[in-house]
Amino acid sequence: MSRIFYRKSTSIAFVAAMLILVLLVCMLLVTLMQMSSLKQRAEKLNEMIAAARQDEQKLQELIDYLKTDDYVREWAENHNRINSDDITWLNDHIPKN
């Protein structure tokens, strides 16, 4: 049987080079898997940011509505603080904006 390597140092260098190559390939695969995971996490975070912005806008609209006279009238009517005659008087005497 013929020898592949004629010197022991050549065979050791070849095996070491192969081990380093395998290690580099493994590191590359791990990095690619982590990159994919990080991309998915970034997409999810962007979706959460967009949802938070929409919620913030809806909350601001609600706050603006709570500052209106219409809300006060509606709340007073629903909690029996004023009756329908008072509401008619308010509608006749207080202009709506």
Side-chain angles (χ1 to χ4, degrees):
M1 191 154 109
S2 66
R3 293 176 58 179
I4 296 175
F5 302 108
Y6 293 105
R7 287 196 239 160
K8 188 175 185 180
S9 62
T10 308
S11 63
I12 291 173
F14 180 77
V15 170
M18 286 307 197
L19 288 175
I20 290 172
L21 182 63
V22 169
L23 180 64
L24 290 174
V25 169
C26 288
M27 288 174 51
L28 178 64
L29 289 175
V30 168
T31 303
L32 290 175
M33 288 173 34
Q34 287 178 346
M35 188 183 308
S36 174
S37 175
L38 289 174
K39 283 182 181 179
Q40 290 175 352
R41 185 178 284 177
E43 289 174 5
K44 185 175 181 180
L45 288 174
N46 285 334
E47 290 173 5
M48 291 173 67
I49 289 170
R53 286 184 179 146
Q54 288 177 348
D55 291 344
E56 180 182 14
Q57 182 180 3
K58 288 178 184 177
L59 183 60
Q60 187 60 45
E61 290 172 1
L62 177 62
I63 290 170
D64 292 341
Y65 173 69
L66 293 176
K67 293 178 182 178
T68 63
D69 291 338
D70 292 333
Y71 170 74
V72 174
R73 288 183 193 136
E74 185 179 315
W75 182 89
E77 183 181 339
N78 290 339
H79 289 87
N80 296 323
R81 301 293 182 188
I82 57 176
N83 58 30
S84 61
D85 294 334
D86 294 335
I87 293 172
T88 304
W89 185 89
L90 288 172
N91 287 334
D92 292 340
H93 292 86
I94 299 176
K96 290 185 179 181
N97 295 334

Coordinates of all heavy atoms in Angstrom, one line a residue:
M1 N 0.8 -1.2 0.0 CA 0.0 0.0 0.0 C 0.9 1.2 0.0 O 1.8 1.3 0.8 CB -0.9 0.0 1.2 CG -1.9 1.0 1.1 SD -3.2 0.5 2.1 CE -3.8 1.0 3.3
S2 N 0.6 2.1 -0.9 CA 1.4 3.3 -1.0 C 1.1 4.3 0.1 O -0.1 4.4 0.5 CB 1.3 4.0 -2.4 OG 0.0 4.5 -2.5
R3 N 2.0 5.1 0.5 CA 1.8 6.1 1.5 C 1.3 7.4 0.9 O 1.8 7.8 -0.2 CB 3.1 6.3 2.3 CG 3.5 5.1 3.1 CD 4.8 5.3 3.7 NE 4.8 6.5 4.6 CZ 5.8 6.8 5.3 NH1 7.0 6.2 5.3 NH2 5.8 7.9 6.1
I4 N 0.4 8.0 1.5 CA -0.2 9.3 1.0 C 0.8 10.4 1.4 O 1.2 11.2 0.5 CB -1.5 9.6 1.6 CG1 -2.5 8.6 1.2 CG2 -2.0 11.0 1.2 CD1 -3.9 8.7 1.8
F5 N 1.3 10.4 2.6 CA 2.2 11.4 3.1 C 3.6 10.7 3.3 O 3.7 9.7 4.0 CB 1.7 12.1 4.3 CG 0.4 12.8 4.2 CD1 -0.7 12.2 4.7 CD2 0.3 13.9 3.4 CE1 -2.0 12.8 4.6 CE2 -0.9 14.5 3.3 CZ -2.1 14.0 3.8
Y6 N 4.6 11.3 2.8 CA 5.9 10.8 3.0 C 6.6 11.2 4.3 O 7.5 10.5 4.7 CB 6.8 11.1 1.8 CG 6.3 10.4 0.5 CD1 5.6 11.1 -0.5 CD2 6.5 9.0 0.4 CE1 5.1 10.5 -1.6 CE2 6.0 8.4 -0.8 CZ 5.3 9.1 -1.7 OH 4.9 8.5 -2.8
R7 N 6.1 12.3 4.8 CA 6.7 12.8 6.1 C 5.6 12.9 7.1 O 4.5 13.3 6.8 CB 7.4 14.2 5.9 CG 8.6 14.1 5.1 CD 9.4 15.4 5.3 NE 9.6 16.0 4.0 CZ 9.9 17.2 3.8 NH1 10.0 18.0 4.9 NH2 10.1 17.7 2.6
K8 N 6.0 12.7 8.4 CA 5.0 12.8 9.5 C 4.6 14.2 9.6 O 3.4 14.5 9.9 CB 5.7 12.2 10.7 CG 4.8 12.1 11.9 CD 5.5 11.5 13.1 CE 4.6 11.2 14.2 NZ 5.2 10.6 15.3
S9 N 5.4 15.2 9.5 CA 5.1 16.6 9.7 C 4.1 17.0 8.6 O 3.2 17.8 8.9 CB 6.3 17.5 9.6 OG 6.9 17.4 8.3
T10 N 4.1 16.5 7.4 CA 3.1 16.8 6.4 C 1.7 16.3 6.8 O 0.7 17.0 6.6 CB 3.6 16.3 5.0 OG1 4.9 16.7 4.8 CG2 2.7 16.7 3.9
S11 N 1.7 15.1 7.3 CA 0.4 14.5 7.7 C -0.2 15.3 8.9 O -1.4 15.5 8.9 CB 0.5 13.0 8.0 OG 1.4 12.8 9.1
I12 N 0.6 15.7 9.8 CA 0.2 16.4 11.0 C -0.4 17.8 10.5 O -1.4 18.2 10.9 CB 1.3 16.6 12.0 CG1 1.6 15.3 12.7 CG2 0.9 17.6 13.1 CD1 2.8 15.3 13.6
A13 N 0.3 18.4 9.6 CA -0.1 19.7 9.1 C -1.4 19.6 8.3 O -2.3 20.4 8.4 CB 1.0 20.3 8.2
F14 N -1.6 18.5 7.5 CA -2.8 18.3 6.8 C -4.0 18.0 7.7 O -5.1 18.6 7.6 CB -2.6 17.1 5.9 CG -3.9 16.7 5.1 CD1 -4.2 17.5 4.0 CD2 -4.7 15.7 5.4 CE1 -5.3 17.2 3.3 CE2 -5.8 15.4 4.7 CZ -6.2 16.2 3.6
V15 N -3.8 17.2 8.8 CA -4.9 17.0 9.7 C -5.2 18.3 10.5 O -6.4 18.5 10.7 CB -4.5 15.8 10.7 CG1 -5.4 15.7 11.9 CG2 -4.3 14.5 10.0
A16 N -4.2 19.0 10.9 CA -4.5 20.3 11.6 C -5.3 21.2 10.7 O -6.2 21.9 11.1 CB -3.2 20.9 12.0
A17 N -4.9 21.3 9.4 CA -5.6 22.2 8.5 C -7.1 21.7 8.3 O -8.0 22.6 8.2 CB -4.9 22.2 7.1
M18 N -7.3 20.4 8.2 CA -8.6 19.9 8.1 C -9.5 20.2 9.4 O -10.6 20.6 9.3 CB -8.6 18.4 7.9 CG -8.2 18.1 6.5 SD -9.3 19.0 5.5 CE -9.3 18.5 4.0
L19 N -8.9 20.1 10.5 CA -9.6 20.4 11.8 C -9.9 21.9 11.8 O -11.1 22.3 12.2 CB -8.8 20.0 13.0 CG -8.7 18.5 13.2 CD1 -7.7 18.2 14.4 CD2 -10.0 17.9 13.5
I20 N -9.0 22.7 11.4 CA -9.3 24.2 11.4 C -10.4 24.5 10.4 O -11.3 25.3 10.7 CB -8.0 25.0 11.1 CG1 -7.0 24.8 12.3 CG2 -8.3 26.4 10.8 CD1 -5.7 25.4 12.0
L21 N -10.4 23.8 9.2 CA -11.4 24.0 8.2 C -12.8 23.6 8.8 O -13.8 24.3 8.6 CB -11.1 23.3 7.0 CG -12.1 23.4 5.8 CD1 -12.1 24.9 5.3 CD2 -11.7 22.5 4.7
V22 N -12.9 22.5 9.4 CA -14.1 22.0 10.0 C -14.6 23.0 11.1 O -15.8 23.3 11.2 CB -13.9 20.6 10.6 CG1 -15.1 20.2 11.4 CG2 -13.7 19.6 9.5
L23 N -13.7 23.5 11.9 CA -14.0 24.4 12.9 C -14.6 25.7 12.3 O -15.6 26.3 12.8 CB -12.8 24.7 13.8 CG -13.0 25.7 14.9 CD1 -14.0 25.2 15.9 CD2 -11.7 26.0 15.6
L24 N -13.9 26.2 11.3 CA -14.4 27.4 10.6 C -15.8 27.2 10.0 O -16.6 28.1 10.1 CB -13.4 27.9 9.6 CG -12.1 28.4 10.1 CD1 -11.1 28.7 8.9 CD2 -12.3 29.7 10.9
V25 N -16.0 26.1 9.4 CA -17.3 25.8 8.8 C -18.4 25.8 9.9 O -19.5 26.3 9.7 CB -17.3 24.5 8.0 CG1 -18.7 24.0 7.6 CG2 -16.4 24.7 6.8
C26 N -18.1 25.2 11.0 CA -19.1 25.1 12.1 C -19.3 26.5 12.7 O -20.5 26.8 12.9 CB -18.5 24.2 13.3 SG -18.5 22.5 12.9
M27 N -18.3 27.3 12.8 CA -18.5 28.7 13.3 C -19.4 29.5 12.3 O -20.2 30.3 12.7 CB -17.2 29.4 13.5 CG -16.4 28.9 14.7 SD -14.7 29.5 14.9 CE -15.0 31.2 14.7
L28 N -19.2 29.3 11.0 CA -20.0 29.9 10.0 C -21.4 29.5 10.1 O -22.3 30.4 10.0 CB -19.4 29.6 8.6 CG -20.1 30.2 7.4 CD1 -20.1 31.7 7.4 CD2 -19.6 29.7 6.1
L29 N -21.7 28.2 10.2 CA -23.0 27.8 10.4 C -23.7 28.3 11.6 O -24.9 28.8 11.5 CB -23.1 26.2 10.4 CG -22.7 25.5 9.1 CD1 -22.7 24.0 9.3 CD2 -23.8 25.9 8.0
V30 N -23.0 28.4 12.7 CA -23.6 28.9 13.9 C -23.9 30.4 13.7 O -25.0 30.9 14.1 CB -22.6 28.7 15.1 CG1 -23.1 29.5 16.3 CG2 -22.6 27.2 15.5
T31 N -23.0 31.1 13.1 CA -23.2 32.6 12.9 C -24.4 32.8 12.0 O -25.2 33.7 12.2 CB -21.9 33.2 12.2 OG1 -20.8 32.9 13.1 CG2 -22.1 34.7 12.0
L32 N -24.6 32.0 10.9 CA -25.7 32.1 10.0 C -27.0 31.8 10.7 O -28.0 32.5 10.5 CB -25.5 31.2 8.8 CG -24.4 31.6 7.8 CD1 -24.3 30.6 6.7 CD2 -24.7 33.0 7.2
M33 N -27.0 30.8 11.6 CA -28.2 30.5 12.3 C -28.6 31.6 13.3 O -29.7 32.0 13.4 CB -28.0 29.2 13.1 CG -28.0 28.0 12.2 SD -27.6 26.4 12.9 CE -28.3 26.5 14.6
Q34 N -27.6 32.2 13.9 CA -27.8 33.3 14.9 C -28.3 34.5 14.1 O -29.2 35.3 14.6 CB -26.6 33.7 15.6 CG -26.2 32.7 16.7 CD -24.9 33.0 17.4 OE1 -24.2 33.9 17.0 NE2 -24.7 32.4 18.5
M35 N -27.8 34.8 12.9 CA -28.2 35.9 12.1 C -29.7 35.8 11.7 O -30.4 36.7 11.8 CB -27.3 36.0 10.8 CG -27.6 37.3 10.0 SD -26.6 37.4 8.5 CE -25.0 37.1 9.1
S36 N -30.1 34.6 11.3 CA -31.5 34.3 11.0 C -32.4 34.6 12.2 O -33.4 35.3 12.1 CB -31.6 32.9 10.5 OG -33.0 32.6 10.3
S37 N -31.9 34.1 13.3 CA -32.7 34.4 14.6 C -32.8 35.9 14.9 O -33.9 36.4 15.3 CB -32.1 33.6 15.7 OG -32.7 33.9 16.9
L38 N -31.7 36.6 14.7 CA -31.7 38.0 15.0 C -32.6 38.8 14.0 O -33.2 39.7 14.4 CB -30.3 38.5 15.0 CG -29.4 38.1 16.2 CD1 -27.9 38.6 15.9 CD2 -29.9 38.6 17.5
K39 N -32.6 38.4 12.8 CA -33.4 39.0 11.8 C -34.9 38.8 12.2 O -35.7 39.8 12.1 CB -33.2 38.5 10.4 CG -31.9 39.0 9.8 CD -31.7 38.4 8.4 CE -30.5 39.0 7.7 NZ -30.3 38.4 6.4
Q40 N -35.3 37.6 12.6 CA -36.7 37.4 13.0 C -37.0 38.2 14.2 O -38.1 38.8 14.3 CB -36.9 35.9 13.3 CG -36.8 35.0 12.1 CD -36.9 33.5 12.4 OE1 -36.8 33.2 13.6 NE2 -37.1 32.7 11.4
R41 N -36.1 38.3 15.2 CA -36.3 39.1 16.4 C -36.5 40.6 16.0 O -37.3 41.3 16.5 CB -35.2 38.9 17.4 CG -35.4 39.6 18.7 CD -34.3 39.4 19.6 NE -34.4 38.0 20.2 CZ -33.5 37.5 21.0 NH1 -32.5 38.2 21.4 NH2 -33.7 36.3 21.5
A42 N -35.7 41.1 15.1 CA -35.7 42.5 14.6 C -37.1 42.7 14.0 O -37.7 43.8 14.2 CB -34.6 42.8 13.7
E43 N -37.6 41.8 13.1 CA -38.9 42.0 12.5 C -40.0 42.0 13.5 O -40.9 42.8 13.4 CB -39.1 40.8 11.5 CG -38.3 40.9 10.3 CD -38.4 39.7 9.4 OE1 -39.3 38.8 9.7 OE2 -37.7 39.6 8.4
K44 N -39.9 41.1 14.5 CA -40.9 41.1 15.6 C -40.9 42.4 16.4 O -42.0 43.0 16.7 CB -40.7 39.9 16.5 CG -41.8 39.8 17.5 CD -41.6 38.5 18.4 CE -42.7 38.4 19.4 NZ -42.5 37.2 20.2
L45 N -39.7 42.9 16.7 CA -39.6 44.2 17.4 C -40.2 45.4 16.6 O -40.8 46.2 17.1 CB -38.2 44.5 17.8 CG -37.6 43.6 18.9 CD1 -36.1 43.8 19.1 CD2 -38.4 43.8 20.2
N46 N -39.9 45.3 15.3 CA -40.5 46.4 14.4 C -42.0 46.4 14.4 O -42.6 47.4 14.4 CB -39.9 46.3 13.0 CG -38.5 46.8 12.9 OD1 -38.0 47.6 13.7 ND2 -37.7 46.2 11.9
E47 N -42.6 45.1 14.4 CA -44.0 45.0 14.4 C -44.6 45.5 15.7 O -45.6 46.2 15.8 CB -44.4 43.5 14.2 CG -44.2 43.0 12.8 CD -44.4 41.5 12.7 OE1 -44.9 40.9 13.7 OE2 -44.2 40.9 11.7
M48 N -43.9 45.2 16.8 CA -44.3 45.7 18.1 C -44.2 47.2 18.2 O -45.1 47.9 18.8 CB -43.5 45.0 19.2 CG -43.7 43.6 19.4 SD -42.6 42.7 20.5 CE -43.1 43.5 22.1
I49 N -43.2 47.8 17.6 CA -43.1 49.3 17.6 C -44.2 49.9 16.8 O -44.8 50.9 17.3 CB -41.7 49.7 17.0 CG1 -40.6 49.3 18.0 CG2 -41.6 51.2 16.7 CD1 -39.2 49.5 17.5
A50 N -44.5 49.3 15.7 CA -45.6 49.9 14.9 C -47.0 49.7 15.6 O -47.8 50.7 15.6 CB -45.7 49.1 13.6
A51 N -47.2 48.6 16.3 CA -48.4 48.5 17.1 C -48.5 49.5 18.3 O -49.5 50.0 18.6 CB -48.5 47.0 17.7
A52 N -47.3 49.7 18.9 CA -47.3 50.7 20.0 C -47.6 52.1 19.5 O -48.3 52.9 20.2 CB -45.9 50.7 20.7
R53 N -47.1 52.4 18.3 CA -47.4 53.8 17.7 C -48.9 53.9 17.4 O -49.4 55.0 17.6 CB -46.5 54.0 16.5 CG -45.1 54.3 16.8 CD -44.3 54.6 15.6 NE -42.9 54.9 15.9 CZ -41.9 54.6 15.2 NH1 -42.0 54.0 14.0 NH2 -40.6 54.9 15.6
Q54 N -49.5 52.8 16.9 CA -50.9 52.9 16.7 C -51.7 53.0 18.0 O -52.7 53.8 18.0 CB -51.4 51.6 15.9 CG -50.9 51.6 14.5 CD -51.4 50.3 13.8 OE1 -51.8 49.3 14.5 NE2 -51.2 50.2 12.5
D55 N -51.3 52.3 19.0 CA -51.9 52.4 20.3 C -51.8 53.8 20.9 O -52.7 54.4 21.5 CB -51.4 51.4 21.3 CG -51.8 50.0 20.9 OD1 -52.7 49.8 20.1 OD2 -51.2 49.0 21.5
E56 N -50.6 54.4 20.7 CA -50.4 55.7 21.2 C -51.3 56.7 20.5 O -51.8 57.6 21.1 CB -48.9 56.1 20.9 CG -48.5 57.5 21.4 CD -47.1 57.8 21.1 OE1 -46.4 57.1 20.3 OE2 -46.6 58.9 21.7
Q57 N -51.4 56.6 19.2 CA -52.3 57.5 18.4 C -53.8 57.3 18.9 O -54.5 58.3 19.1 CB -52.2 57.2 16.9 CG -53.0 58.1 16.0 CD -52.9 57.7 14.6 OE1 -52.2 56.8 14.2 NE2 -53.6 58.5 13.7
K58 N -54.2 56.1 19.1 CA -55.6 55.8 19.6 C -55.8 56.4 21.0 O -56.8 57.0 21.3 CB -55.9 54.4 19.6 CG -56.1 53.8 18.2 CD -56.4 52.3 18.3 CE -56.4 51.6 16.9 NZ -56.6 50.2 17.0
L59 N -54.8 56.3 21.8 CA -54.9 56.8 23.1 C -54.9 58.4 23.1 O -55.7 59.0 23.8 CB -53.7 56.4 24.0 CG -53.6 56.8 25.4 CD1 -54.9 56.3 26.2 CD2 -52.4 56.3 26.1
Q60 N -54.2 59.0 22.2 CA -54.2 60.4 22.1 C -55.6 60.9 21.6 O -56.1 61.9 22.1 CB -53.1 60.9 21.2 CG -53.0 62.4 21.1 CD -52.7 63.0 22.5 OE1 -51.8 62.6 23.2 NE2 -53.4 64.1 22.8
E61 N -56.2 60.2 20.7 CA -57.5 60.5 20.2 C -58.5 60.4 21.3 O -59.4 61.2 21.5 CB -57.9 59.6 19.0 CG -57.1 59.8 17.8 CD -57.4 58.8 16.7 OE1 -58.2 57.9 16.9 OE2 -56.8 58.9 15.6
L62 N -58.4 59.4 22.2 CA -59.3 59.2 23.3 C -59.1 60.4 24.3 O -60.1 60.9 24.8 CB -59.0 57.9 24.0 CG -59.9 57.6 25.3 CD1 -61.4 57.6 24.9 CD2 -59.4 56.3 25.9
I63 N -57.9 60.7 24.6 CA -57.6 61.9 25.5 C -58.2 63.1 24.9 O -58.8 63.9 25.7 CB -56.1 62.0 25.7 CG1 -55.6 60.9 26.6 CG2 -55.8 63.3 26.4 CD1 -54.1 60.8 26.7
D64 N -58.1 63.4 23.6 CA -58.7 64.6 23.0 C -60.2 64.5 23.1 O -60.8 65.6 23.4 CB -58.3 64.7 21.5 CG -56.8 65.0 21.4 OD1 -56.2 65.5 22.4 OD2 -56.2 64.7 20.3
Y65 N -60.8 63.4 22.9 CA -62.3 63.2 23.1 C -62.7 63.5 24.5 O -63.7 64.1 24.7 CB -62.7 61.9 22.6 CG -64.2 61.6 22.8 CD1 -65.2 62.3 22.1 CD2 -64.6 60.7 23.8 CE1 -66.5 62.1 22.4 CE2 -65.9 60.5 24.1 CZ -66.9 61.2 23.3 OH -68.2 61.0 23.6
L66 N -61.9 63.0 25.5 CA -62.3 63.2 26.9 C -62.3 64.7 27.3 O -62.9 65.0 28.3 CB -61.4 62.4 27.8 CG -61.5 60.9 27.7 CD1 -60.5 60.2 28.6 CD2 -62.9 60.4 28.0
K67 N -61.6 65.5 26.5 CA -61.6 66.9 26.8 C -62.7 67.7 26.2 O -62.9 68.9 26.4 CB -60.3 67.5 26.3 CG -59.0 67.0 27.0 CD -57.8 67.6 26.4 CE -56.5 67.0 27.1 NZ -55.3 67.5 26.5
T68 N -63.6 67.1 25.5 CA -64.7 67.8 24.8 C -65.9 67.9 25.6 O -66.1 67.1 26.6 CB -65.1 67.1 23.5 OG1 -65.6 65.7 23.8 CG2 -63.9 66.9 22.5
D69 N -66.8 68.8 25.3 CA -68.1 69.0 26.0 C -69.0 67.8 25.7 O -69.8 67.4 26.5 CB -68.7 70.3 25.5 CG -68.0 71.5 26.1 OD1 -67.3 71.4 27.1 OD2 -68.2 72.6 25.5
D70 N -68.9 67.2 24.5 CA -69.7 66.1 24.2 C -69.5 64.9 25.1 O -70.5 64.3 25.5 CB -69.5 65.6 22.7 CG -69.9 66.6 21.7 OD1 -70.8 67.4 22.0 OD2 -69.3 66.7 20.6
Y71 N -68.3 64.7 25.5 CA -68.0 63.6 26.4 C -68.6 63.9 27.8 O -69.2 63.0 28.4 CB -66.5 63.4 26.6 CG -66.2 62.5 27.7 CD1 -66.4 61.1 27.6 CD2 -65.7 63.0 28.9 CE1 -66.1 60.2 28.6 CE2 -65.4 62.1 30.0 CZ -65.6 60.7 29.8 OH -65.4 59.9 30.9
V72 N -68.5 65.2 28.2 CA -69.0 65.5 29.5 C -70.5 65.3 29.5 O -71.1 64.8 30.5 CB -68.7 67.0 29.9 CG1 -69.3 67.4 31.2 CG2 -67.2 67.1 30.0
R73 N -71.2 65.8 28.5 CA -72.7 65.6 28.4 C -73.0 64.1 28.4 O -74.0 63.7 29.1 CB -73.2 66.3 27.1 CG -73.2 67.7 27.1 CD -73.8 68.3 25.9 NE -73.5 69.7 25.8 CZ -73.1 70.4 24.7 NH1 -72.9 69.7 23.6 NH2 -72.9 71.6 24.7
E74 N -72.3 63.4 27.6 CA -72.6 61.9 27.5 C -72.4 61.2 28.9 O -73.2 60.4 29.3 CB -71.7 61.3 26.5 CG -71.9 59.8 26.2 CD -71.0 59.3 25.1 OE1 -70.8 60.0 24.1 OE2 -70.4 58.2 25.3
W75 N -71.3 61.6 29.5 CA -71.0 61.0 30.8 C -72.1 61.4 31.8 O -72.6 60.5 32.6 CB -69.6 61.5 31.3 CG -69.3 60.8 32.7 CD1 -68.6 59.7 32.8 CD2 -69.6 61.3 34.0 NE1 -68.5 59.4 34.2 CE2 -69.1 60.4 34.9 CE3 -70.3 62.5 34.4 CZ2 -69.2 60.6 36.3 CZ3 -70.4 62.6 35.8 CH2 -69.9 61.7 36.7
A76 N -72.5 62.6 31.9 CA -73.5 63.1 32.8 C -74.8 62.4 32.6 O -75.5 62.0 33.5 CB -73.6 64.6 32.7
E77 N -75.2 62.2 31.3 CA -76.4 61.5 31.0 C -76.4 60.1 31.4 O -77.3 59.5 32.0 CB -76.7 61.7 29.5 CG -78.0 61.1 29.1 CD -78.3 61.2 27.6 OE1 -77.7 62.1 26.9 OE2 -79.1 60.4 27.1
N78 N -75.3 59.4 31.1 CA -75.1 58.0 31.4 C -75.1 57.7 32.9 O -75.5 56.6 33.3 CB -73.9 57.4 30.7 CG -74.0 57.3 29.2 OD1 -75.1 57.3 28.7 ND2 -72.9 57.2 28.5
H79 N -74.6 58.6 33.7 CA -74.5 58.4 35.1 C -75.6 59.2 35.9 O -75.6 59.4 37.1 CB -73.1 58.9 35.6 CG -72.0 58.0 35.2 ND1 -71.4 58.2 34.0 CD2 -71.5 57.0 35.8 CE1 -70.5 57.3 33.9 NE2 -70.5 56.5 35.0
N80 N -76.7 59.5 35.2 CA -77.9 60.1 35.7 C -77.6 61.4 36.6 O -78.2 61.6 37.6 CB -78.7 59.1 36.6 CG -79.2 58.0 35.8 OD1 -79.6 58.2 34.6 ND2 -79.1 56.8 36.3
R81 N -76.6 62.1 36.1 CA -76.3 63.4 36.8 C -77.2 64.5 36.3 O -77.4 65.5 37.0 CB -74.8 63.8 36.6 CG -73.9 62.8 37.1 CD -73.9 62.7 38.6 NE -72.9 61.7 39.0 CZ -72.8 61.3 40.3 NH1 -73.6 61.8 41.2 NH2 -71.9 60.5 40.6
I82 N -77.7 64.4 35.0 CA -78.6 65.4 34.5 C -79.7 64.6 33.8 O -79.5 63.4 33.3 CB -77.9 66.4 33.5 CG1 -77.2 65.6 32.4 CG2 -77.0 67.3 34.2 CD1 -76.6 66.5 31.3
N83 N -80.9 65.2 33.6 CA -81.9 64.4 33.0 C -82.1 65.0 31.5 O -81.4 65.9 31.1 CB -83.3 64.5 33.7 CG -83.7 66.0 33.9 OD1 -83.4 66.8 33.1 ND2 -84.4 66.2 35.0
S84 N -83.0 64.4 30.8 CA -83.2 64.7 29.4 C -83.6 66.2 29.2 O -83.2 66.8 28.2 CB -84.2 63.8 28.7 OG -85.4 63.9 29.3
D85 N -84.3 66.8 30.2 CA -84.7 68.2 30.1 C -83.5 69.1 30.1 O -83.4 70.1 29.4 CB -85.7 68.6 31.2 CG -87.0 67.8 31.0 OD1 -87.4 67.5 29.9 OD2 -87.7 67.6 32.1
D86 N -82.6 68.7 31.0 CA -81.3 69.5 31.1 C -80.5 69.4 29.8 O -79.9 70.4 29.4 CB -80.5 69.0 32.3 CG -81.2 69.2 33.7 OD1 -82.0 70.2 33.7 OD2 -80.8 68.5 34.6
I87 N -80.5 68.2 29.2 CA -79.8 68.0 28.0 C -80.4 68.9 26.9 O -79.7 69.5 26.1 CB -79.7 66.5 27.6 CG1 -78.9 65.8 28.6 CG2 -79.2 66.4 26.2 CD1 -78.9 64.3 28.5
T88 N -81.7 68.9 26.8 CA -82.4 69.8 25.9 C -82.0 71.2 26.1 O -81.7 72.0 25.1 CB -83.9 69.6 25.9 OG1 -84.2 68.2 25.8 CG2 -84.6 70.4 24.9
W89 N -82.0 71.7 27.4 CA -81.6 73.1 27.7 C -80.2 73.3 27.3 O -79.9 74.4 26.7 CB -81.8 73.3 29.2 CG -81.6 74.7 29.5 CD1 -82.5 75.8 29.5 CD2 -80.3 75.3 29.9 NE1 -81.9 76.9 29.9 CE2 -80.6 76.7 30.2 CE3 -79.1 74.8 30.1 CZ2 -79.6 77.5 30.6 CZ3 -78.1 75.7 30.5 CH2 -78.3 77.0 30.7
L90 N -79.3 72.4 27.6 CA -77.9 72.5 27.2 C -77.7 72.7 25.7 O -76.9 73.5 25.2 CB -77.0 71.4 27.8 CG -76.8 71.3 29.3 CD1 -76.1 70.0 29.7 CD2 -76.0 72.5 29.7
N91 N -78.4 71.8 25.0 CA -78.3 71.9 23.5 C -78.8 73.2 23.0 O -78.3 73.6 22.0 CB -79.1 70.7 22.9 CG -78.4 69.4 23.1 OD1 -77.2 69.3 23.3 ND2 -79.1 68.3 23.1
D92 N -79.8 73.8 23.6 CA -80.4 75.0 23.1 C -79.5 76.2 23.5 O -79.4 77.2 22.8 CB -81.8 75.2 23.7 CG -82.8 74.2 23.1 OD1 -82.5 73.7 22.0 OD2 -83.8 74.1 23.7
H93 N -78.8 76.2 24.6 CA -78.1 77.3 25.1 C -76.6 77.3 25.0 O -76.0 78.3 25.2 CB -78.5 77.6 26.6 CG -79.9 78.0 26.7 ND1 -81.0 77.1 26.8 CD2 -80.5 79.2 26.8 CE1 -82.1 77.7 26.9 NE2 -81.9 79.0 26.9
I94 N -76.0 76.1 24.9 CA -74.6 76.0 24.8 C -74.2 75.5 23.4 O -74.6 74.4 23.0 CB -74.0 75.1 25.8 CG1 -74.3 75.6 27.2 CG2 -72.5 74.9 25.7 CD1 -73.9 74.7 28.4
P95 N -73.5 76.3 22.6 CA -73.2 75.9 21.3 C -72.1 74.8 21.3 O -71.3 74.7 22.1 CB -72.6 77.2 20.7 CG -72.1 78.0 21.8 CD -73.0 77.7 23.0
K96 N -72.3 73.9 20.3 CA -71.3 72.9 20.1 C -70.2 73.4 19.2 O -70.4 74.1 18.3 CB -72.0 71.6 19.5 CG -72.9 70.9 20.4 CD -73.4 69.7 19.7 CE -74.3 68.9 20.6 NZ -74.8 67.7 20.0
N97 N -69.0 73.0 19.5 CA -67.8 73.4 18.7 C -67.6 72.5 17.6 O -67.7 71.4 17.5 CB -66.6 73.5 19.6 CG -66.8 74.7 20.6 OD1 -67.5 75.6 20.4 ND2 -66.1 74.6 21.7

